[in-house]
Amino acid sequence: MRFRFSLLATVLAAALAGVTARTTSVEERASFPRMVFCHFMGVGFAYDSADRNGMKVFISYDFNWWNTGQGAQIGSHMAGYASRPAQLFINGAAFISSFAGDGVDVNAMRSAAGIPIMFVPNFHPGQGNFDVLDGALNWLGWPNNGNNKAPTPGANISVAAGDASYRSALGSKPYLAPASAWFSTHYGPEVSYSKNWVFPSDLLWYQRWNDLLALGPEFVEIVTWNDYGESHYVGPLSSKHQDDGASKWVNDMSVDFAYKAGASSPNSFITSDQIIYWYRPTLASLNCDATDTTANTPANNASGNYFEGRPDGWQTMQDAIFVVTLLTSPGTLTVTSGGKTQTFNAPAGAASFSVPMAVGQQSFALARNGVNVLAANSLKDISNVCPCGLYNFDAYTGSVPPNFIDPLGPDGLNSLVAGLHVSTCRPTPSLPTSAPPYTGPGGQPTGIVYGPGLRDRIRRITVMGEDSEIFHFVA
Ligand SMILES: *[C@@H]1O[C@H](CO)[C@@H](O)[C@H](O)[C@H]1NC(C)=O
Ligand SMILES: *[C@@H]1O[C@H](CO)[C@@H](O)[C@H](O)[C@H]1NC(C)=O
């Protein structure tokens, strides 16, 4: 499903970063260039690749792998990378981050590194000592229950509450705030029995960028570029990655709605009309228990990391088609889901909409003065068949005009059918390369405008991104 937010996201992130700067006080921000990072799951050659492409990177030490007793080793490791040309330096210090790591000996780390370090780890307010940090990353870009699961009515923590808690722990130190588009994962028995949950994601990408505009953090980290396993990737599926089982839910699930969704106030960044949409492949009520066999073990139950059936938190997702319009002038949006049509007045700029999702074809049109200027069917229908026999709460994203086709590569396809209990799922991308012609309300658009291709987008990132195309990877 994913066109995932893809590069569009990055373009708008860059745009928004610029806009954000204008909304916050100059004094407060004076010493830091505003930057948007993208969390990238590790490949050893990231520094070389970044260098060849004029990008900057930094390492985020994953403390699921490193341990907090290794401050000095981490410092030496940092020193080895900090001399590489692609290393990001801010105000003369090598930028370093982490996933978790509360309690690591930061002084030992700094002294082993032997060079100035700007350490902005994912410490947690109330757990780690923020006095020894230069800033901090909040990873939790999803509303949650305070215990790494979806909120419940009794335990419901917004992303903004996380922002406030970090802001307060940080004082005047810079805050690396999260922006995520989606979270769903389903590692059942076909894979490794490790996790089976979602966080409420629906319009999160759009809302979060609006919130970030108001908040104006020094830095933003997109979580993530390519963590397919947790469905929060915004990068293309076609980028090379090792399959850890995620191909079962990401095949065909490309998500391209991007950052553009966040461009609500920076209207000046909207230079052509676009309808961006996303939705899950099936209704939440679809029962996949028969083929998604999940004989839970007491150990899994005890770990809290695996639950039978639908992913934990599934009730926090709405059965809806989500639409963001990016318009140069007002128009009429028509959304048809499974034969049911709704129309909306869409303003100039960015706006979001949702309509109930129904099985069947999904189509989208934009009209002005009663004439369609954009109109297309989605490549992907909503189905009443469990995808690969599994519960799949990932999102498919598309846009009108269309973006690039983003098929899953061989790494993922090779293992796609392993462990499945149905034979209906083939290890090939199954989306057509073009949708059937639009025959909905208003008929064919008067002029077809083709969206920019991948290469154009990359170029736009380079042009608009300034410091934004900085990726980091997990060591
Ligand atoms: C959590 O709070 C938000 C904002 O008030 C609300 O929209 C959402 O429905 C709540 N979620 C749950 C599970 O109670
Ligand atoms: C795991 O927990 C579920 C939900 O509480 C329960 O129905 C199931 O019997 C448990 N399975 C095992 C093997 O303990």
Side-chain angles (χ1 to χ4, degrees):
M1 295 206 175
R2 306 174 175 198
F3 266 168
R4 266 326 157 106
F5 309 86
S6 99
L7 299 170
L8 276 181
T10 315
V11 172
L12 260 289
L16 289 183
V19 169
T20 309
R22 268 178 257 141
T23 65
T24 52
S25 85
V26 175
E27 300 83 334
E28 194 187 340
R29 310 298 172 198
S31 51
F32 300 103
R34 189 155 302 252
M35 286 187 265
V36 177
F37 308 122
C38 217
H39 194 91
F40 184 83
M41 299 296 278
V43 285
F45 49 83
Y47 271 80
D48 291 339
S49 169
D51 188 34
R52 280 195 302 277
N53 292 292
M55 292 184 175
K56 295 292 179 194
V57 293
F58 59 88
I59 296 176
S60 174
Y61 288 89
D62 184 347
F63 281 88
N64 284 328
W65 194 80
W66 297 85
N67 69 60
T68 52
Q70 291 177 301
Q73 278 150 283
I74 291 169
S76 317
H77 187 266
M78 282 174 188
Y81 281 92
S83 58
R84 310 275 289 267
Q87 170 65 42
L88 172 67
F89 278 83
I90 294 182
N91 298 343
F95 195 93
I96 301 292
S97 188
S98 78
F99 177 75
D102 295 287
V104 67
D105 185 339
V106 177
N107 292 331
M109 191 199 81
R110 288 186 197 278
S111 97
I115 54 161
I117 295 290
M118 179 165 181
F119 191 45
V120 183
N122 171 223
F123 277 26
H124 296 81
Q127 294 177 37
N129 175 10
F130 279 52
D131 292 344
V132 295
L133 305 185
D134 304 302
L137 161 69
N138 173 14
W139 178 260
L140 274 178
W142 313 273
N144 62 85
N145 70 350
N147 194 26
N148 201 32
K149 290 288 191 311
T152 58
N156 188 351
I157 302 172
S158 66
V159 185
D163 291 334
S165 149
Y166 271 84
R167 229 334 137 216
S168 147
L170 281 163
S172 61
K173 292 178 181 176
Y175 174 40
L176 177 46
S180 187
W182 206 266
F183 194 124
S184 86
T185 187
H186 189 69
Y187 285 92
E190 306 79 11
V191 189
S192 58
Y193 267 127
S194 64
K195 42 193 178 182
N196 182 27
W197 69 76
V198 304
F199 286 102
S201 302
D202 296 351
L203 277 168
L204 177 65
W205 190 236
Y206 177 78
Q207 287 158 350
R208 181 60 180 155
W209 277 102
N210 283 324
D211 289 351
L212 287 170
L213 283 180
L215 182 71
E218 287 79 0
F219 308 118
V220 173
E221 174 155 318
I222 298 173
V223 181
T224 59
W225 180 252
N226 64 346
D227 189 342
Y228 307 103
E230 293 183 347
S231 304
H232 40 59
Y233 55 93
V234 299
L237 286 180
S238 49
S239 67
K240 201 165 165 53
H241 68 289
Q242 278 202 324
D243 187 46
D244 59 359
S247 59
K248 291 176 175 56
W249 56 93
V250 304
N251 190 26
D252 298 332
M253 302 290 269
S254 107
V255 178
D256 211 74
F257 54 86
Y259 239 123
K260 283 207 167 181
S264 61
S265 51
N267 290 358
S268 57
F269 291 103
I270 299 172
T271 53
S272 63
D273 295 320
Q274 193 170 18
I275 305 169
I276 297 159
Y277 56 85
W278 61 98
Y279 51 84
R280 302 195 320 272
T282 60
L283 294 163
S285 57
L286 185 68
N287 188 335
C288 304
D289 286 348
T291 45
D292 195 344
T293 52
T294 51
N296 219 0
T297 65
N300 285 327
N301 269 14
S303 74
N305 276 341
Y306 185 69
F307 303 87
E308 294 164 320
R310 290 179 184 81
D312 179 79
W314 65 272
Q315 306 93 327
T316 66
M317 302 276 210
Q318 283 179 53
D319 274 342
I321 309 295
F322 302 99
V323 181
V324 168
T325 48
L326 304 170
L327 305 184
T328 54
S329 64
T332 304
L333 171 71
T334 299
V335 181
T336 306
S337 179
K340 280 199 179 151
T341 293
Q342 285 196 38
T343 59
F344 304 89
N345 292 324
S352 69
F353 305 87
S354 65
V355 306
M357 69 191 250
V359 170
Q361 191 172 68
Q362 312 299 315
S363 59
F364 306 87
L366 174 74
R368 291 203 180 94
N369 305 316
V371 177
N372 277 351
V373 292
L374 294 174
N377 292 324
S378 171
L379 294 177
K380 189 165 184 73
D381 289 356
I382 290 177
S383 173
N384 55 8
V385 176
C386 301
C388 292
L390 301 177
Y391 288 109
N392 188 335
F393 280 72
D394 195 3
Y396 172 78
T397 306
S399 67
V400 193
N403 287 306
F404 60 96
I405 304 286
D406 180 25
L408 185 64
D411 297 345
L413 291 173
N414 285 342
S415 59
L416 190 136
V417 295
L420 295 180
H421 297 279
V422 295
S423 55
T424 49
C425 188
R426 305 252 279 274
T428 53
S430 65
L431 290 180
T433 50
S434 64
Y438 178 84
T439 54
Q444 288 285 327
T446 49
I448 295 179
V449 187
Y450 291 102
L454 176 58
R455 280 171 202 286
D456 288 347
R457 287 172 200 286
I458 290 172
R459 203 153 38 234
R460 281 176 66 202
I461 289 170
T462 312
V463 171
M464 296 175 64
E466 298 177 6
D467 287 317
S468 72
E469 60 278 45
I470 295 169
F471 296 78
H472 77 262
F473 67 90
V474 177

